[in-house]
Structures are given as structure tokens and as C-alpha cells.
Amino acid sequence: MVEAHTHNEMVFRKWEQHKMSKSQILEELGSHPLSPEEITTVWDNYSRYRVGKRNTQGWMLMGVGGFIGFVSCVITMIDPLPDFRGLFMYGFTSIAIMMALYGCYLVMEAPGDD
């Protein structure tokens, strides 16, 4: 079972690297001796793989953005370098917000199937 899962993940990565469309993937699966139910199962597993990878990336971006925002806030309050106050207050905070919001987008928005 573990070997089949690893093989599927390798195939899924290959499809993702080649940026194959749904029709190309279904055409490739059709060339193998698989029943229509098995092809549907493989496609569903690939869709879950893509969504899982996207969610993981989104949560990581939200975490990193939140951490950068927190550090920016603390450095702005401590104000160790008054000359760089604007950089910490506006620059790093803007970057943190953009990262966190893009992470939210990745997690909450459903990817479209091509």
C-alpha cells in the first residue's frame, strides 16, 4: 500500500511539473489498462494531492506573514533604530500583510480544474 502511494505521488509530481491539463492526464490514464472507475479514482486522488499541497503552502505563508508582522510590530514599538522606523512600520508590515492575505487566498479559494 505504501509503495502504491509513493508511486502515485511520484506520478502526481511529474504531472504537476509538466503542467499537464486534465484532458492530457485523462488521455494518459486512458492509454493504461484501467477501468473508468479507476481513472476517476486516480483523478480524484490527484485533485486531493493538488489541494493539499496548495493548503500547506497557504498555511505556511500565513504563518510566516504573521511572524514577520509580529516582529515588525515589536521592533516598531521598541524603536531601536529611529532612522529605520518607517521601514519596519510600513515596509515589513506591508510585506507581512501581503504574504498572509495571499496565504488566505490559497487556503480559502478552490483551485479551478483545467
Side-chain angles (χ1 to χ4, degrees):
M1 180 68 185
V2 173
E3 187 175 315
H5 177 68
T6 306
H7 175 70
N8 285 344
E9 193 168 322
M10 289 180 358
V11 171
F12 295 163
R13 285 184 188 160
K14 181 189 86 162
W15 290 345
E16 199 170 40
Q17 287 174 351
H18 292 305
K19 299 181 190 226
M20 295 176 71
S21 67
K22 182 178 181 176
S23 60
Q24 291 172 327
I25 292 170
L26 293 177
E27 185 178 307
E28 181 178 323
L29 289 173
S31 66
H32 297 291
L34 297 173
S35 69
E37 293 83 22
E38 291 173 328
I39 290 174
T40 304
T41 303
V42 171
W43 176 254
D44 290 341
N45 289 340
Y46 177 62
S47 295
R48 278 192 221 107
Y49 168 79
R50 284 183 28 219
V51 169
K53 190 171 180 180
R54 181 182 168 115
N55 283 342
T56 302
Q57 183 182 14
W59 283 106
M60 292 293 292
L61 283 173
M62 282 191 279
V64 170
F67 180 75
I68 291 173
F70 175 74
V71 169
S72 172
C73 176
V74 169
I75 290 176
T76 300
M77 288 189 298
I78 294 173
D79 202 16
L81 302 167
D83 293 340
F84 293 107
R85 182 182 304 139
L87 175 68
F88 293 120
M89 188 182 298
Y90 301 114
F92 288 162
T93 303
S94 298
I95 291 170
I97 290 170
M98 285 188 289
M99 287 179 73
L101 288 177
Y102 185 65
C104 287
Y105 167 75
L106 290 177
V107 169
M108 294 182 192
E109 186 69 26
D113 291 331
D114 1 309

Coordinates of all heavy atoms in Angstrom, one line a residue, residues 2 7 11 22 25 27-28 45 48 57 66 75 77 79-80 82 89 96 99-100 108-110:
V2 N 1.9 1.2 0.8 CA 2.8 2.4 0.9 C 3.5 2.6 -0.4 O 3.7 3.7 -0.9 CB 3.8 2.2 2.1 CG1 4.8 3.3 2.0 CG2 3.1 2.2 3.4
H7 N 4.3 5.6 -5.4 CA 4.3 5.7 -6.9 C 3.3 6.7 -7.4 O 3.6 7.5 -8.3 CB 4.0 4.3 -7.4 CG 3.8 4.3 -8.9 ND1 4.9 4.4 -9.8 CD2 2.7 4.2 -9.7 CE1 4.5 4.4 -11.0 NE2 3.1 4.2 -11.0
V11 N 4.1 10.1 -9.7 CA 3.3 10.4 -10.9 C 2.7 11.7 -10.8 O 2.7 12.5 -11.8 CB 2.3 9.3 -11.2 CG1 1.4 9.6 -12.4 CG2 3.0 7.9 -11.5
K22 N -6.1 18.6 -17.5 CA -7.0 17.5 -17.2 C -7.2 16.5 -18.4 O -7.1 15.3 -18.2 CB -8.4 18.0 -16.7 CG -9.3 16.9 -16.3 CD -10.6 17.4 -15.7 CE -11.5 16.3 -15.3 NZ -12.8 16.7 -14.7
I25 N -4.0 14.4 -18.9 CA -3.9 13.4 -17.8 C -4.9 12.3 -18.1 O -4.5 11.1 -18.0 CB -4.1 14.0 -16.4 CG1 -3.0 15.0 -16.1 CG2 -4.3 12.9 -15.4 CD1 -3.2 15.8 -14.9
E27 N -6.1 11.4 -20.9 CA -5.6 10.7 -22.1 C -4.5 9.7 -21.7 O -4.5 8.6 -22.2 CB -5.1 11.7 -23.1 CG -4.8 11.2 -24.5 CD -4.3 12.2 -25.4 OE1 -5.1 13.2 -25.6 OE2 -3.2 12.1 -26.0
E28 N -3.6 10.2 -20.9 CA -2.5 9.3 -20.4 C -3.1 8.1 -19.6 O -2.6 7.0 -19.8 CB -1.5 10.1 -19.6 CG -0.3 9.2 -19.1 CD 0.7 10.0 -18.3 OE1 0.9 11.2 -18.6 OE2 1.2 9.4 -17.4
N45 N -7.8 11.4 -6.6 CA -6.6 11.4 -5.7 C -5.6 12.6 -6.1 O -5.0 13.2 -5.3 CB -5.9 10.1 -5.8 CG -6.7 9.0 -5.0 OD1 -7.5 9.3 -4.2 ND2 -6.4 7.8 -5.4
R48 N -7.0 15.8 -4.9 CA -6.8 16.0 -3.4 C -5.3 16.3 -3.2 O -5.0 17.1 -2.3 CB -7.2 14.7 -2.7 CG -8.6 14.6 -2.4 CD -8.9 13.5 -1.4 NE -10.1 12.8 -1.9 CZ -10.2 11.6 -2.5 NH1 -9.1 10.9 -2.6 NH2 -11.3 11.1 -2.9
Q57 N 0.9 25.2 1.5 CA 1.7 26.4 1.1 C 0.9 27.6 1.7 O 1.6 28.5 2.1 CB 1.8 26.5 -0.4 CG 2.6 27.7 -0.9 CD 2.6 27.8 -2.4 OE1 1.9 27.1 -3.1 NE2 3.5 28.6 -2.9
G66 N 2.4 36.2 9.5 CA 2.0 36.6 10.8 C 3.3 36.8 11.7 O 3.3 37.8 12.5
I75 N 9.5 45.5 16.9 CA 10.6 46.3 16.6 C 10.2 47.8 16.5 O 10.9 48.7 16.9 CB 11.3 45.9 15.3 CG1 12.1 44.6 15.6 CG2 12.3 46.9 14.8 CD1 12.7 43.9 14.4
M77 N 7.7 49.1 18.1 CA 7.4 49.6 19.5 C 8.6 49.8 20.3 O 8.7 50.8 21.0 CB 6.5 48.6 20.2 CG 5.1 48.6 19.7 SD 3.9 47.6 20.7 CE 4.6 46.0 20.6
D79 N 11.6 50.5 19.0 CA 12.3 51.6 18.2 C 13.8 51.6 18.5 O 14.3 52.7 18.9 CB 11.6 52.9 18.6 CG 11.8 54.0 17.5 OD1 12.2 53.6 16.4 OD2 11.6 55.1 17.8
P80 N 14.5 50.5 18.2 CA 16.0 50.5 18.4 C 16.7 51.4 17.4 O 17.8 51.9 17.8 CB 16.3 49.1 18.3 CG 15.3 48.5 17.3 CD 14.1 49.3 17.6
P82 N 15.8 54.6 15.3 CA 14.7 55.5 14.8 C 14.8 55.9 13.4 O 13.8 56.2 12.8 CB 15.0 56.8 15.7 CG 15.8 56.3 16.9 CD 16.6 55.1 16.4
M89 N 7.8 49.9 10.2 CA 6.4 50.1 10.4 C 5.6 49.9 9.1 O 4.5 49.3 9.1 CB 6.2 51.6 10.9 CG 4.7 51.8 11.3 SD 4.4 53.5 11.8 CE 5.4 53.6 13.3
A96 N 4.3 41.6 5.3 CA 3.7 40.6 6.1 C 2.2 40.5 5.8 O 1.6 39.4 5.7 CB 3.8 40.9 7.6
M99 N 1.8 38.7 2.4 CA 2.0 37.3 2.5 C 0.9 36.5 3.2 O 0.4 35.5 2.7 CB 3.3 37.0 3.3 CG 4.6 37.3 2.5 SD 6.0 37.0 3.5 CE 6.1 35.3 3.6
A100 N 0.4 37.1 4.3 CA -0.7 36.5 5.0 C -2.0 36.4 4.1 O -2.7 35.4 4.1 CB -1.0 37.2 6.3
M108 N -8.4 29.4 1.1 CA -9.9 29.6 1.0 C -10.4 29.5 -0.4 O -11.6 29.1 -0.6 CB -10.3 30.9 1.6 CG -10.0 30.9 3.1 SD -10.5 32.5 3.8 CE -9.8 32.4 5.4
E109 N -9.7 29.8 -1.4 CA -10.2 29.8 -2.8 C -9.9 28.4 -3.4 O -8.8 27.9 -3.4 CB -9.5 30.8 -3.6 CG -10.0 31.0 -5.0 CD -11.4 31.6 -5.0 OE1 -11.8 32.3 -4.1 OE2 -12.1 31.4 -6.0
A110 N -11.0 27.8 -4.0 CA -10.8 26.5 -4.6 C -10.1 26.6 -5.9 O -10.5 27.5 -6.7 CB -12.2 25.8 -4.8

